[in-house]
Each structure stands twice: as C-alpha cells, then as structure tokens.
Amino acid sequence: MRYIRAFRDGATAAALAKRIAAAADPAREYHLMEFCGGHTHAIFHYGVENFLPPNVRLVHGPGCPVCVLATPRLDAAITLAERPNVTLLSYGDMLRVPAAKGRNLLKARAQGADVRMVYSALEAVAVATVNPDRQVVFFAIGFETTTPATAHLILEAQRLGLHNLTVYCNHVVTPAALKSILDAPAVRQWESVRIDGFIGPSHVSAVIGSLPYEAFAAAYAKPVVIAGFEPLDVMQAVDMLVRQLNEGRASVENQFTRGVTRDGNRTAQALIAEVFELRPDFEWRGLGSLANGGVAIKAKYAAFDAERRFAVETIASRENAACQCPSIIRGVKKPMDCSIFGTVCTPRNPIGSCMVSAEGVCAAYYKYRRRELATTGEP
Amino acid sequence: MTRVSTVLVDPVVVGEYLIVHAGLAITRLDVEEAEKTLALFAEIAARYQDAGVALHPRLS
C-alpha cells in the first residue's frame, strides 16, 4: 500500500482543491472528459467532483471496456457458448452485460452453456490443457491494457500446441476512439457536448506510452493530461489541465510519471504488433463504427481465431428503446435523463451496459449519488 | 492468492513495485517518480494549507 494510500490523503486533496480554485478563471468554464472508466470510478468513489469549483466540470467518457462492446458481438459470444462442445471463458464484468432479447452470459450458463469466469487471460491455458476434448474459447475484450495478455495467450497456445484453444477477439483501440470522439460524423452531435481537454487513461498509457496522444492533442488543439487512478492523481491532472487552458496550450502532459513513460511498454507493444492488426473499422456499442477502432488476429495466427474456426456471425440487433446508454457514454446525457435509470434499470437488473460494471457511468451514479439525487433532485 | 505474470516486465527483482492489470504486470512502478510526485503534493499541501482561497460552499 506504500504507493497507494499516500495518493488518497484528504488534507492534500483539500490543498489541491484550493490550488485548482485559485487557478480556475471564474469568467470561463472548463469541461474536462475523463476517457477511462477507471477514472470515472475513482471520481465517484472519492467524491472528486465535490472538490472542484462549479465551473470545472467533468464529462464522463466511454472508456469502460464492457460498456462499448457492440451487442451483436456479445450475442455471437452467447451463441458460441451455447454450442455443446464449447467452453467460453470471460472476464467477470462481461457476464451480466445485457445482450439482445434480455439475454446475457449468466443466463446462458443457467440454461446449460459452459461459461466460466476468469480473472486473467492466461487461465485459459490451464482450462484448455485439462479439457482436451472441449473447444475452449477465450472471450477477449478491453483496451490496450488487456490486449497484451491476449497476445501472450495466443503465443502460449501456439508454443504448447493447444489446438482446442481459440480467442474471440474484441479488443478496442484508445487513440482511434479519442480521435473519433472529436471528428466522426456519427458523433457530430457531440457538438452539444463541450470538451476542452482530456484526462488520459493510466493503465492504457502504461502500455502505449504518452507518445500516441501527441498528434491528437496538436491536431485537435485539446490538451491531454495522463493521470493515475488515485483521487489525488485525478485532482492534480485537473489542475494541470486548467493551467494549460488558461495559458492557451494544448500539450500532452503526464501526471502519472510513476507508471507512464513517453514510449510505454515496448515489450507489450511488440506482443500486440506480433499477433494483432488494426481492423479498418470496428463497431462500438453507443459510438457506432470507428475507423481503426479495434484489432483482429493476424492471418498467421488464424488457427487460434474463434471467428475463423467457428465462422462466427454477427446479426444486427435492436437496443432497448428507453435505454440512454449511447448518449450517456458520449457525455450528451446524464443518467437522470434516462426514464428507466434506477427504476427498471438497476445494477441487479441492468438494461443498458453502463449499469453493469463499476466503471460504468450509470452504475457509478446509482451507487454513489442516487440518494443525493433523490433529496436535491439535482445532478 | 493471485497469480501474476511478469512476462511484460521481466526481469523483476524482489522489492520492486509492479502495476498489475487483469493478471499481468503491465509496468514497473517508478519509485523515484512516485516520491517526486509525493514531494510535490507535500509542497502544495504546505503552501495552500492556510491559503485564503474560497472553496465551493459544499466544501466549507
């Protein structure tokens, strides 16, 4: 805990709050988007917004891994799991994410599908080894934080000759998403959302480094400050963004110097480059199709690609019409703007993907601000 | 007990801090940089402790 607790100190938070209040120009507004769900969670858990002046606003972004997986791909995973000879391995958060027709992986399991939860991609090796007569499929999701683990898994499967192990690859790419947030036609309606700067993700950046954000910051004239996941990290990043905006700068700065370098983890990048290639476009739940928005398994590792082995089909499906998750992850709406938030849609019975994981915006509002909303009626 | 792979950060020596995400250490925690950040926080805390900055009513 040596380098965790110290970054949660209340007295320092109060001092940082004063420093931000002193720097923020009362004549202007600062709209800062935290891209990553890990930050969203920290912001709500520690009440960071209560420490900020009213003209410094945080806009919660789409960086919640289970929130952005397109429904047809989740449906395809469920269909895969329902094959009699398939064992599907998934990260726990994914099990309760609603798919088409109110289905999810947990319900599929209750109906007899062999769906198992794993904490790490590498657990798939053991499962495939002890179940040689089962087709073991790892349901790979997430950003660049989990992509290297999946790459390593595929190389291990090849090295060990595990012919019953495949990966259903749904990994997504952060810089493409950031770019698309500001320029894709599908997200032009974002103009109704103002974003002056970005709090950059910590673990994604530990892998990819701060370099990939530089072209983005320059091209869109938006500052990016990469921040750690603890509350003081987020507050210092806000302070750095406010100062950049005051000075009219749009640079990439790194608050999380203890975990992120400009070049990132070269070993991890090499693993990703060995196994994966960019998809020309990839569907994100709530954001639509993003150019270079995801990665696929290269042809040379086709033997480990579940999409090729099982000829996985994705069929377009309709979302629940009342669910506002697409607007919520784009920052256009708040959970309270959704008619089913907290009534029909709750963490126990999530209708939209944002209500499932601790990193989802609706789940965070439900857990930390529901009572406050009930008493004041204000966000 | 959680098993963590160090394949992305090898070689690792006892006493180092690692940042772990879903079963893989994704990077080494740079202790020197962490101390620098904490020293900066201490400086900010000392400077703003008694600063007469009006905080939002929620905080005062």
Side-chain angles (χ1 to χ4, degrees):
Chain A
M1 291 298 273
R2 172 74 183 91
Y3 292 110
I4 296 178
R5 209 167 283 149
F7 291 88
R8 296 175 181 170
D9 177 62
T12 310
L16 275 166
K18 288 182 188 173
R19 185 175 156 85
I20 294 166
D25 177 354
R28 66 180 287 182
E29 294 217 332
Y30 303 83
H31 293 238
L32 313 174
M33 174 179 269
E34 90 275 3
F35 178 83
C36 177
H39 284 136
T40 306
H41 178 74
I43 287 162
F44 280 86
H45 187 82
Y46 296 101
V48 170
E49 283 170 303
N50 292 328
F51 281 79
L52 303 179
N55 59 329
V56 177
R57 306 229 174 131
L58 297 177
V59 183
H60 315 300
C64 154
V66 307
C67 299
V68 297
L69 178 75
T71 316
R73 298 190 70 89
L74 174 56
D75 292 334
I78 294 173
T79 307
L80 257 178
E82 285 169 344
R83 287 175 179 246
N85 62 333
V86 165
T87 296
L88 188 89
L89 308 181
S90 167
Y91 291 123
D93 274 1
M94 205 62 231
L95 299 182
R96 292 169 56 252
V97 176
K101 299 182 182 128
R103 298 200 305 167
N104 64 32
L105 283 168
L106 215 51
K107 288 180 189 168
R109 179 162 81 177
Q111 288 162 358
D114 188 2
V115 177
R116 305 184 197 179
M117 188 185 104
V118 290
Y119 165 70
S120 159
L122 301 180
E123 291 171 39
V125 169
V127 177
T129 307
V130 300
N131 297 285
D133 50 344
R134 305 281 302 164
Q135 285 290 331
V136 176
V137 179
F138 175 63
F139 185 20
I141 62 141
F143 294 85
E144 292 89 337
T145 38
T146 49
T147 316
T150 307
H152 182 58
L153 170 66
I154 289 174
L155 295 177
E156 280 294 283
Q158 186 183 53
R159 186 176 69 84
L160 299 167
L162 289 171
H163 300 298
N164 62 327
L165 176 60
T166 52
V167 169
Y168 182 34
C169 177
N170 294 281
H171 286 296
V172 286
V173 176
T174 302
L178 272 176
K179 194 168 164 308
S180 300
I181 281 171
L182 294 178
D183 74 359
V187 284
R188 278 284 152 77
Q189 58 263 43
W190 280 61
E191 281 174 13
S192 54
V193 194
R194 180 170 145 192
I195 303 171
D196 300 315
F198 288 90
I199 297 174
S202 22
H203 287 181
V204 164
S205 308
V207 172
I208 69 174
S210 64
L211 183 67
Y213 304 99
E214 289 175 10
F216 166 80
Y220 295 87
K222 302 282 183 196
V224 178
V225 174
I226 293 158
F229 276 144
E230 299 303 331
L232 296 187
D233 293 322
V234 177
M235 293 189 69
Q236 194 188 11
V238 167
D239 184 51
M240 291 164 79
L241 281 167
V242 165
R243 281 158 204 275
Q244 276 208 46
L245 289 163
N246 285 349
E247 292 160 20
R249 290 190 297 122
S251 314
V252 175
E253 291 180 333
N254 182 11
Q255 182 279 331
F256 191 46
T257 51
R258 65 188 186 280
V260 171
T261 58
R262 186 161 180 263
D263 291 332
N265 185 330
R266 288 267 173 84
T267 309
Q269 292 163 19
L271 268 179
I272 295 174
E274 170 62 25
V275 174
F276 298 110
E277 60 194 3
L278 280 174
R279 296 180 195 253
D281 47 66
F282 193 64
E283 184 81 13
W284 288 45
R285 190 172 192 164
L287 294 186
S289 186
L290 301 189
N292 296 336
V295 295
I297 297 168
K298 282 182 177 173
K300 69 197 255 204
Y301 295 105
F304 303 97
D305 188 346
E307 280 185 75
R308 290 178 168 102
R309 180 171 302 179
F310 300 101
V312 174
E313 273 185 43
T314 52
I315 301 155
S317 58
R318 285 169 60 187
E319 300 284 337
N320 183 304
C323 174
Q324 299 296 322
C325 279
S327 303
I328 290 165
I329 68 168
R330 282 186 263 130
V332 179
K333 288 189 177 170
K334 298 218 152 139
M336 302 75 73
D337 300 328
C338 176
S339 62
I340 56 173
F341 171 77
T343 53
V344 176
C345 182
T346 62
R348 279 197 156 201
N349 178 38
I351 304 296
S353 57
C354 313
M355 189 53 104
V356 179
S357 136
E359 298 182 17
V361 179
C362 291
Y365 264 87
Y366 188 89
K367 183 166 181 195
Y368 296 109
R369 298 186 68 177
R370 189 164 39 107
R371 283 195 194 86
E372 171 191 343
L373 298 175
T375 50
T376 66
E378 273 185 17
Chain B
M1 201 172 72
T2 304
R3 286 178 68 87
V4 171
S5 165
T6 56
V7 65
L8 301 180
V9 289
D10 280 333
V12 174
V13 291
V14 172
E16 286 186 312
Y17 290 82
L18 302 175
I19 297 177
V20 176
H21 191 103
L24 246 79
I26 51 171
T27 192
R28 208 172 251 97
L29 186 138
D30 186 330
V31 170
E32 205 173 299
E33 287 294 336
E35 292 294 350
K36 273 194 219 165
T37 306
L38 290 175
L40 181 64
F41 285 163
E43 208 177 291
I44 290 171
R47 190 184 314 160
Y48 286 88
Q49 202 165 27
D50 306 312
V53 179
L55 286 176
H56 189 270
R58 276 188 304 231
L59 291 178
S60 42

